[in-house]
Amino acid sequence: GDSVTQMEGPVTLSEEAFLTINCTYTATGYPSLFWYVQYPGEGLQLLLKATKADDKGSNKGFEATYRKETTSFHLEKGSVQVSDSAVYFCALTRLDRGSTLGRLYFGRGTQLTVWP
Amino acid sequence: AAGVIQSPRHLIKEKRETATLKCYPIPRHDTVYWYQQGPGQDPQFLISFYEKMQSDKGSIPDRFSAQQFSDYHSELNMSSLELGDSALYFCASSLDRGNSPLHFGNGTRLTVT
């Protein structure tokens, strides 16, 4: 079945360091891929998305490229800030016929802590 | 901007009791989703509704039921609670069965003792 595998955390970085959080997926059909962020005490917020191969999603300095050949959607940011400390979830949903687009399959989440 | 509202934020119940969680979607959103997130786990899809009809069903136990009302709010009813039901329950809403991004509420933390 459809699934998402994320690198395990926690990830601890100093401010301005480079961030990579790996995400790979298994899916039939043509999935859309997402990164969601969860700040302490809050719900999940959509960070970025990509709906087809080679698409790059970007938002707030974060980027991820939909790589069909490696079934990956790694999250990157060139210079993290303390305010980026949160849990990051990779997720997918399928576009093919008969699938409810909103049914998201999540990875386990990666806790990111950024120190000043 | 209005967001998805969930109530209550926290709920403590004993085993075998019943709990009702409520979700108020963003105005004009017609689709509601329920997810369960156990401690240290990824959110798992439970059930969704589109225009007050069940549209998809995931790993929702038979002890749980849900519905969407005429004002589009949704309720998740959980009976015969078990310790393993302790989790964070998220509601999300969207337009047109998820063809627009999902907006999540802050969740209801249920603790079963």
Side-chain angles (χ1 to χ4, degrees):
Chain A
D2 297 351
S3 66
V4 174
T5 302
Q6 271 181 251
M7 67 182 281
E8 293 189 14
V11 174
T12 303
L13 295 172
S14 298
E15 206 165 28
E16 299 182 5
F18 183 84
L19 168 71
T20 300
I21 300 178
N22 290 338
C23 171
T24 57
Y25 68 90
T26 302
T28 56
Y30 305 96
S32 285
L33 301 173
F34 304 83
W35 277 99
Y36 279 82
V37 59
Q38 185 177 26
Y39 298 101
E42 298 185 12
L44 296 156
Q45 299 175 25
L46 177 64
L47 180 60
L48 54 85
K49 68 175 183 178
T51 57
K52 60 183 188 296
D54 300 324
D55 267 3
K56 177 187 279 189
S58 60
N59 186 26
K60 299 181 182 179
F62 291 89
E63 292 183 341
T65 301
Y66 187 163
R67 302 281 189 205
K68 196 162 191 261
E69 63 277 12
T70 54
T71 62
S72 64
F73 193 55
H74 304 322
L75 182 68
E76 296 182 336
K77 186 173 186 182
S79 176
V80 294
Q81 305 300 313
V82 172
S83 58
D84 294 327
S85 298
V87 181
Y88 292 81
F89 289 93
C90 186
L92 70 81
T93 188
R94 283 167 35 198
L95 286 171
D96 53 304
R97 193 177 184 81
S99 170
T100 300
L101 192 64
R103 181 169 176 165
L104 289 162
Y105 296 84
F106 287 92
R108 285 287 180 95
T110 302
Q111 172 74 55
L112 170 66
T113 302
V114 181
W115 295 100
Chain B
V4 176
I5 306 296
Q6 290 187 245
S7 68
R9 286 298 305 273
H10 302 275
L11 190 58
I12 300 175
K13 292 285 185 179
E14 295 186 355
K15 282 196 310 184
R16 293 180 287 279
E17 285 192 318
T18 298
T20 297
L21 278 53
K22 297 186 179 182
C23 170
Y24 297 86
I26 291 173
R28 293 186 298 280
H29 279 195
D30 51 20
T31 310
V32 168
Y33 311 82
W34 286 97
Y35 285 82
Q36 177 192 56
Q37 185 181 21
Q41 303 295 313
D42 52 301
Q44 294 288 319
F45 172 74
L46 293 177
I47 195 167
S48 63
F49 293 88
Y50 169 67
E51 284 290 344
K52 292 153 279 183
M53 300 288 290
Q54 181 182 309
S55 61
D56 199 1
K57 192 172 179 180
S59 51
I60 184 169
D62 292 340
R63 299 178 289 107
F64 294 6
S65 65
Q67 59 182 9
Q68 186 179 30
F69 294 87
S70 58
D71 64 352
Y72 294 97
H73 95 272
S74 179
E75 294 184 3
L76 177 66
N77 297 294
M78 310 159 70
S79 62
S80 302
L81 287 169
E82 301 174 357
L83 295 178
D85 296 328
S86 296
L88 194 54
Y89 290 84
F90 286 111
C91 171
S93 73
S94 73
L95 277 171
D96 192 23
R97 282 183 286 194
N99 282 300
S100 66
L102 269 63
H103 294 261
F104 283 83
N106 286 345
T108 294
R109 183 168 295 284
L110 172 67
T111 302
V112 182
T113 62

